[in-house]
Amino acid sequence: MPEEGIELRERSSFMTAEELIEIAKVFISQGIKKIRLTGGEPLVKKNAKLVINELGKLPIELSLTTNAILVDQYILDLKKAGVKSVNVSLDTLKEERFNTITKRDYFKKVMSNIQLLIQENFKVKINVVLIKNVNDDEIVDFVNWSKNKPIELRFIEFMPFDGNQWNWDKKVSYKEILNTIKKELGDKSFKKIEDHPNDTAKNFQLKNATGSFGIISSVTNPFCDTCNRIRLTADGKIKNCLFSNKEIDLLTAHRKNLPLIPLIKESIYNKKKQHAGIKSFEKTNPNELKNRSMISIGG
Ligand code: SF4
């Protein structure tokens, strides 16, 4: 969350569960095969159970990204809806640091819910956003965690968004992450493993490990040419790239009974080759991007 918090908005500016399902069906009619619920935090939404149950009835692969705090309350709904894979955002393995970063003290809850997801046979991916001098001293601790746990860790390069005080020097690059692991565990301690098609991470595994680790190098080594994602914000705007500030308002069109397919096509056909047309991040000032903050886009 931005330090200054966020401006609250009228409930009517957000999709109801019914509207979300109806709009999802339009996307599915156009070939969308996978829907991921993200946030902010999707499980704090009052109608999260209804949304999960109803999306679970549609012919798609359903998954979610969560901070895992409420996962135990939703575990049966997730199973019933056929969710197989859950991404958990967790930037540190140190309780005190977790409390500082999240401004909450749910570390033990998050760790026990990760264990619960593993026990219940969900594929668990852990998203770790690395920031220089904040948590980059934990790279090896995280990698070692994947040795005996069936988790897929993904280190994510810190990206510029409104309000996140990003600058080029705060990112921890793909190269630096691999060099740190090589330096501390040895050149031959891990191997490259196969990446799935359209995967955002380049994946590796420690020798004889149960889990794996990957790097999402959106800043230093973008993978936009294989990006097949499209985002719908909670207020019903379609975004064709995380960094794009051009949004098309599907919710208003839906409420006026206007056809959505031409709007969806317009958004997709206008997707830029890379990073929404931003040429280089090196000199980017996040406050000049005029984009939403990450919490109001959905990761
Ligand atoms: S096109 Fe945009 S959303 Fe897709 S990978 Fe590139 S930066 Fe990310």
XYZ file of all heavy atoms in Angstrom, residues 159 161 200 216 218 222-231 239-244 271-277 281, ligand 1:
245
model
N 9.535 -3.117 -10.034
C 9.117 -2.343 -11.213
C 8.572 -0.963 -10.804
O 8.033 -0.823 -9.714
C 7.998 -3.095 -11.953
C 8.453 -4.374 -12.594
S 7.064 -5.184 -13.432
C 6.492 -6.311 -12.184
N 6.033 1.834 -10.361
C 4.599 2.156 -10.368
C 4.375 3.394 -9.530
O 5.166 3.675 -8.615
C 3.765 0.994 -9.801
C 3.705 -0.169 -10.726
C 4.515 -1.256 -10.511
C 2.876 -0.148 -11.831
C 4.502 -2.322 -11.386
C 2.851 -1.211 -12.710
C 3.671 -2.308 -12.488
N 6.381 -16.309 -17.376
C 7.046 -15.032 -17.158
C 8.406 -15.237 -16.485
O 9.230 -14.333 -16.477
C 6.183 -14.130 -16.249
O 5.795 -14.892 -15.116
C 4.965 -13.634 -16.972
N 11.747 -13.393 -12.569
C 10.899 -12.623 -13.484
C 11.595 -11.285 -13.700
O 11.564 -10.399 -12.848
C 9.473 -12.453 -12.895
C 8.856 -13.834 -12.628
C 8.606 -11.628 -13.836
C 7.417 -13.830 -12.153
N 11.320 -8.520 -15.487
C 10.520 -7.582 -16.295
C 11.256 -6.301 -16.636
O 10.949 -5.656 -17.623
C 9.253 -7.188 -15.542
O 8.947 -8.094 -14.567
N 13.076 -7.907 -20.470
C 11.627 -8.057 -20.606
C 11.239 -9.228 -21.513
O 11.982 -9.593 -22.424
C 11.180 -6.738 -21.215
C 12.375 -5.964 -21.538
C 13.576 -6.641 -21.006
N 10.066 -9.772 -21.214
C 9.582 -10.938 -21.977
C 8.278 -10.577 -22.673
O 7.401 -11.399 -22.870
C 9.371 -12.127 -21.029
C 8.837 -11.695 -19.689
C 7.496 -11.451 -19.524
C 9.702 -11.469 -18.623
C 7.000 -10.992 -18.316
C 9.211 -11.005 -17.399
C 7.849 -10.779 -17.247
N 8.134 -9.267 -23.025
C 6.865 -8.776 -23.561
C 6.466 -9.503 -24.852
O 5.276 -9.573 -25.167
C 6.945 -7.274 -23.820
S 7.369 -6.333 -22.350
N 7.454 -10.007 -25.607
C 7.092 -10.656 -26.868
C 6.308 -11.951 -26.661
O 5.667 -12.434 -27.580
C 8.337 -10.900 -27.745
C 9.464 -11.566 -27.003
O 9.407 -11.605 -25.755
O 10.389 -12.069 -27.654
N 6.346 -12.515 -25.450
C 5.530 -13.716 -25.214
C 4.368 -13.430 -24.259
O 3.690 -14.346 -23.814
C 6.381 -14.860 -24.616
O 6.933 -14.388 -23.377
C 7.472 -15.316 -25.546
N 4.152 -12.160 -23.955
C 3.112 -11.810 -22.976
C 1.715 -12.034 -23.574
O 1.366 -11.445 -24.589
C 3.265 -10.342 -22.564
S 1.938 -9.755 -21.525
N 0.946 -12.890 -22.949
C -0.422 -13.141 -23.445
C -1.456 -12.770 -22.390
O -2.519 -13.349 -22.310
C -0.579 -14.607 -23.865
C -0.362 -15.553 -22.709
O -0.019 -15.117 -21.601
N -0.562 -16.833 -22.932
N -1.108 -11.782 -21.556
C -2.011 -11.415 -20.456
C -2.799 -10.150 -20.765
O -2.319 -9.255 -21.454
C -1.186 -11.191 -19.183
C -0.667 -12.481 -18.611
C 0.640 -12.268 -17.891
N 1.083 -13.495 -17.261
C 1.681 -14.491 -17.903
N 1.898 -14.410 -19.207
N 2.053 -15.580 -17.260
N -3.972 -10.128 -20.196
C -4.818 -8.950 -20.332
C -5.454 -8.735 -18.958
O -5.785 -9.711 -18.285
C -5.856 -9.173 -21.471
C -6.511 -7.890 -21.899
C -6.890 -10.219 -21.153
C -5.770 -7.205 -22.996
N -5.550 -7.501 -18.529
C -6.046 -7.265 -17.156
C -7.363 -6.518 -17.150
O -7.561 -5.603 -17.942
C -5.008 -6.449 -16.370
C -3.782 -7.246 -16.058
C -2.693 -6.418 -15.412
N -1.645 -7.298 -14.953
C -0.732 -7.857 -15.738
N -0.737 -7.606 -17.042
N 0.169 -8.676 -15.239
N -6.907 -3.252 -19.288
C -5.538 -2.726 -19.462
C -4.764 -3.757 -20.261
O -4.716 -4.926 -19.877
C -4.852 -2.592 -18.094
C -5.080 -1.288 -17.400
C -4.395 -1.276 -16.048
C -3.086 -0.535 -16.072
N -3.222 0.907 -16.242
N -4.147 -3.329 -21.360
C -3.456 -4.320 -22.193
C -2.007 -4.537 -21.770
O -1.329 -5.397 -22.300
C -3.548 -3.955 -23.679
C -2.894 -2.631 -23.996
O -2.133 -2.103 -23.186
N -3.196 -2.089 -25.159
N -1.546 -3.783 -20.785
C -0.185 -3.961 -20.265
C -0.154 -3.338 -18.868
O -0.824 -2.340 -18.617
C 0.818 -3.241 -21.179
S 2.482 -3.159 -20.506
N 0.643 -3.921 -17.995
C 0.792 -3.379 -16.636
C 1.147 -1.899 -16.643
O 0.754 -1.146 -15.772
C 1.961 -4.103 -15.948
C 1.684 -5.310 -15.083
C 2.990 -5.825 -14.512
C 0.724 -4.960 -13.965
N 1.945 -1.496 -17.650
C 2.468 -0.127 -17.671
C 1.636 0.834 -18.511
O 1.967 1.997 -18.633
C 3.921 -0.135 -18.171
C 4.828 -0.849 -17.222
C 5.250 -2.128 -17.482
C 5.214 -0.247 -16.035
C 6.058 -2.806 -16.584
C 6.011 -0.914 -15.133
C 6.442 -2.193 -15.406
N 0.581 0.312 -19.111
C -0.213 1.180 -19.973
C -1.157 2.049 -19.139
O -1.796 1.573 -18.208
C -1.035 0.313 -20.931
O -1.968 1.118 -21.584
N -2.025 -3.084 -28.159
C -0.956 -3.406 -27.198
C 0.385 -3.088 -27.849
O 0.633 -3.447 -28.987
C -1.042 -4.898 -26.856
C -0.172 -5.350 -25.714
C -0.523 -6.809 -25.413
C 0.507 -7.481 -24.555
N 0.159 -7.446 -23.141
N 1.238 -2.389 -27.111
C 2.541 -2.000 -27.663
C 3.523 -3.169 -27.575
O 3.313 -4.117 -26.823
C 3.105 -0.804 -26.887
C 2.267 0.443 -27.016
C 2.697 1.203 -28.248
C 2.225 2.621 -28.310
N 0.872 2.885 -28.638
N 4.596 -3.038 -28.350
C 5.557 -4.131 -28.437
C 6.161 -4.447 -27.064
O 6.359 -5.599 -26.699
C 6.662 -3.717 -29.410
C 7.596 -4.841 -29.758
C 8.558 -4.410 -30.846
C 9.620 -5.471 -31.011
N 10.849 -4.927 -31.531
N 6.445 -3.426 -26.300
C 7.134 -3.656 -25.016
C 6.812 -2.541 -24.020
O 6.802 -1.367 -24.388
C 8.637 -3.684 -25.281
C 9.469 -4.113 -24.095
C 10.923 -4.270 -24.490
O 11.257 -4.967 -25.437
N 11.805 -3.609 -23.780
N 6.552 -2.937 -22.768
C 6.398 -1.978 -21.668
C 5.499 -0.789 -22.025
O 5.812 0.357 -21.672
C 7.776 -1.422 -21.252
C 8.619 -2.425 -20.520
N 9.975 -2.300 -20.380
C 8.294 -3.558 -19.875
C 10.452 -3.314 -19.698
N 9.456 -4.103 -19.376
N 4.417 -1.054 -22.739
C 3.449 -0.008 -23.131
C 4.112 1.161 -23.862
O 3.652 2.297 -23.799
C 2.683 0.495 -21.902
N 5.216 0.879 -24.531
C 5.884 1.920 -25.316
C 6.924 2.723 -24.544
O 7.556 3.613 -25.112
N 13.581 2.096 -18.817
C 13.221 2.375 -17.426
C 14.327 3.117 -16.692
O 14.100 3.666 -15.623
C 12.960 1.068 -16.678
C 11.589 0.509 -16.930
C 11.397 -0.842 -17.091
C 10.485 1.341 -16.972
C 10.138 -1.364 -17.298
C 9.214 0.830 -17.178
C 9.045 -0.523 -17.346
S 3.616 -6.352 -22.293
Fe 3.317 -5.249 -20.376
S 2.238 -6.694 -19.043
Fe 3.133 -7.895 -20.729
S 5.143 -8.568 -19.995
Fe 5.494 -6.633 -21.062
S 5.355 -5.079 -19.448
Fe 4.438 -6.934 -18.594
